[in-house]
Each structure stands twice: as structure tokens, then as C-alpha cells.
Amino acid sequence: MRKLKRHLPATVRTLLGAIFIYAALLKIADPVAFAGSVAAYKILPYFASYLTAAVLPFVELSCGLLLVLGYRVKGGALLIGVMNLVFMIALGAAIVRGLDIDCGCFKQGGSKTTPWTALLRDAVFFAMTVFVLKAESNRTKQTSPQQF
Amino acid sequence: MKKNWLGTIAEICLIVVISATAGILWNRTLLTSAWRGETAGQAQAAPAGEELPMPLGLMQIKEMFDAKQAVIVDARSSVDFAEGHIAGSLTLPLEEARKNPASPFKVKLPADATVIVYCNGFSCHDSMDLGKILMHAGYATVYVYEGGFPEWRDAGYPVAKGGA
């Protein structure tokens, strides 16, 4: 049990990072399709959809890599948390407006993931992010000289 | 503590700037064409970059329906189709068309046929997606009926059940 407790933070951090790297690579492979997925939310204008499709996957990739490598975890995890919140707001807006769209979160143009499923999944990712941030702040506290 | 937070914010900004630069450089051709308002991805063999199917309204669709000028295609699932569809329409769920995008129809349909695609109304994008697939498959005249089955049914126009 103690062993599990010791390794859990690193496991969750690596897993979360790996999920974001995977999601990013799928989008980088097909930016046009991802731009279509972004446009389907009907939130951003034409060019902004393409700009988001060009930039967002690279932010996801950077954060994912930082988490997996365990380097600058706080910054990476905070950014992942912010992205997750933005995704959840966009999905919520899609649900409220009754848009029948694919979330476009992972594989583009594959099997459809409804906004509700995606929202639930993002909530899990968000919880993982909070856990990673908490673990990170505990770790830095432990290594600081104020520790009893 | 405050210094700590400032450091983290600077870190986040740095991550965003580096990633954004990488993303913009990586997709520079796509972004340039999108900025010029060209249909994206034309230069590559990417699936987009096509002409989009033209949207049509209820009255125009009804006229074409009455004149039997077009083949009407239902992009919804076969279950939805069985529950009710525009009379005389063919079922071609988007998922099935995606499996065989080169020749999506089971029946033979000449490439010069006028095709109207519909699904579940304005919030549904399956008809537009199916329309794009059909245009890629070589059908030149593809329209999307954006009001879809709900609008047609509510207007009291001919519907049929079953036959999926």
C-alpha cells in the first residue's frame, strides 16, 4: 500500500502526459480535419479555427512531454488544467446549443465521441491534473528547508 | 511565494510561445492558405480542400422532390432511417460511407446524378460530411438539406417508415 502511495503521483503524472502526447500527435497528423472539428463547435471564426488547430496540439505536446519527463511539472500541469477547463466550457456550450458533433479530442474523423462522453472524460483528466499539482506541491514542500 | 507564482506564470508563457511558434511554423502552408481564404489543404493530398456541398432550403428541396430531379440520401443511422425518412430517400449512414469513401453507394448511381443529403436538422453535421465524401467520390452536384428530416416531417411532406 505504501509502495502504491509512493509511486502513484509519478504514475498519474506520466499517464496524463502520455494521454496529452497521444492526443497531440493525432491532431498534428491531420490539422485540416482538426480545424474542421474546431469549426464544428461554431465558437471561432474561420481563420481562428485553423490557427487553433495549428497551435493547440503543439501546446498539448509540450505539456505532455514536460509531465512525462517530470521537468517543470507545475507549469505544464497548470497549462493542461487550463486547457481542460477551456475544452469543458466548449463542450458544455456544444451541449447547451444542442450541437450534434464529434468532440475532436483524439482521432479526427474516427468513431464519434459525443460531447457528454468527452465532458466526462475531461473531468477525469482535470481531476488527474489537480492530483498531479497537489503531489508536485507536496514534493517541493518536502524538499524545501522549512520541512519539520 | 509571490516570486514562485511569477516564475510559474513566466514558465507557462514560455511553453505557450515556444509551442505556438512550433505549431505556426509546422503548419505555415496551411495557415497561409487559410489566411488568404482559400479552401485549405489544396496543395496536399489531405481529405479537405474540396468544394463544399451547397446548402438548400425546404422549398427548393420540395420542388426537386416533386419534379423527381434528385436522389435524396439520408445520412443518419439505419435505425433512424427505419423510424422515419423522406419518402423515396436512400439510406447511407455517414459511418458506412466513411468505410468505403471511394464508392459509398450500394446501388449504382451515375456520377452526374443530383444528390441531396440530409440528416437531423441544423445542428447535425453528418449531411455536410457525407456530402463532402460524395463530392470526393465524383458526384459533382451535391446539395445539403440543412433543415433535415425534422423540418420536412413538420412541414407535413411525404415521409416513409422502415426499409433500412
Side-chain angles (χ1 to χ4, degrees), chain A residues 28 30-32 40 42 46-47 50-51 54-55 58-59 62-63 66 72 74-76 78-79 98-101 109-110 112, chain B residues 5 8 11-12 15-16 19-20 22-24 26-27 30-31 34-35 37-40 46-48 98 122-126:
Chain A
I28 291 170
D30 197 350
V32 179
K42 295 185 178 171
Y46 178 80
F47 181 71
Y50 278 94
L51 192 62
V55 170
F58 282 82
V59 182
S62 308
C63 294
L66 290 177
R72 306 277 170 192
K74 197 176 172 190
L78 271 174
L79 204 50
L99 295 181
D100 178 23
I101 55 173
K112 199 160 166 172
Chain B
W5 270 106
T8 311
E11 225 171 84
I12 290 176
I15 299 171
V16 172
S19 311
I24 290 168
W26 182 270
N27 294 295
L30 175 70
L31 287 173
W35 179 253
E38 292 164 10
T39 42
R98 276 188 176 142
F122 290 100
S123 61
C124 169
H125 296 276
D126 287 1

Side-chain angles (χ1 to χ4, degrees), chain B residues 45-64:
Chain B
E50 71 279 80
E51 266 184 87
L52 290 180
M54 262 260 278
L56 283 186
L58 176 66
M59 295 320 292
Q60 290 154 301
I61 300 291
K62 180 66 171 39
E63 275 174 29
M64 290 167 94

Side-chain angles (χ1 to χ4, degrees), chain A residues 9-21 67-68 125 128 132:
Chain A
T11 313
V12 174
R13 171 171 57 75
T14 315
L15 189 68
L16 187 66
I19 292 168
F20 268 75
I21 293 173
L67 256 61
V68 167
F125 294 161
M128 285 168 81
V132 169

Side-chain angles (χ1 to χ4, degrees), chain B residues 79-115:
Chain B
V79 178
D80 286 342
F81 183 84
E83 279 173 10
H85 54 262
I86 295 182
S89 58
L90 297 175
T91 174
L92 178 58
L94 177 63
E95 292 302 318
E96 271 180 38
R98 276 188 176 142
K99 284 180 202 156
N100 192 10
S103 57
F105 285 110
K106 281 180 189 143
V107 292
K108 247 195 166 168
L109 204 63
D112 60 350
T114 302
V115 184

Side-chain angles (χ1 to χ4, degrees), chain B residues 55-66 72 86 116 122 144-158:
Chain B
L56 283 186
L58 176 66
M59 295 320 292
Q60 290 154 301
I61 300 291
K62 180 66 171 39
E63 275 174 29
M64 290 167 94
F65 174 87
D66 288 338
I72 304 181
I86 295 182
I116 297 169
F122 290 100
V144 167
Y145 170 33
E146 290 186 317
F149 183 67
E151 191 186 45
W152 182 270
R153 179 197 54 209
D154 295 346
Y157 293 149

Side-chain angles (χ1 to χ4, degrees), chain A residues 5 9 13 15 25 37 40 44-45 52 56 78-79 81 84 88 90 94 110 121 123 125 128 130 137 145 147:
Chain A
K5 223 175 174 182
R13 171 171 57 75
L15 189 68
L25 292 179
S37 299
L44 296 171
T52 309
L56 186 70
L78 271 174
L79 204 50
N84 250 320
M88 284 158 84
R121 202 168 51 190
F125 294 161
M128 285 168 81
V130 173
S137 98
Q147 171 71 11

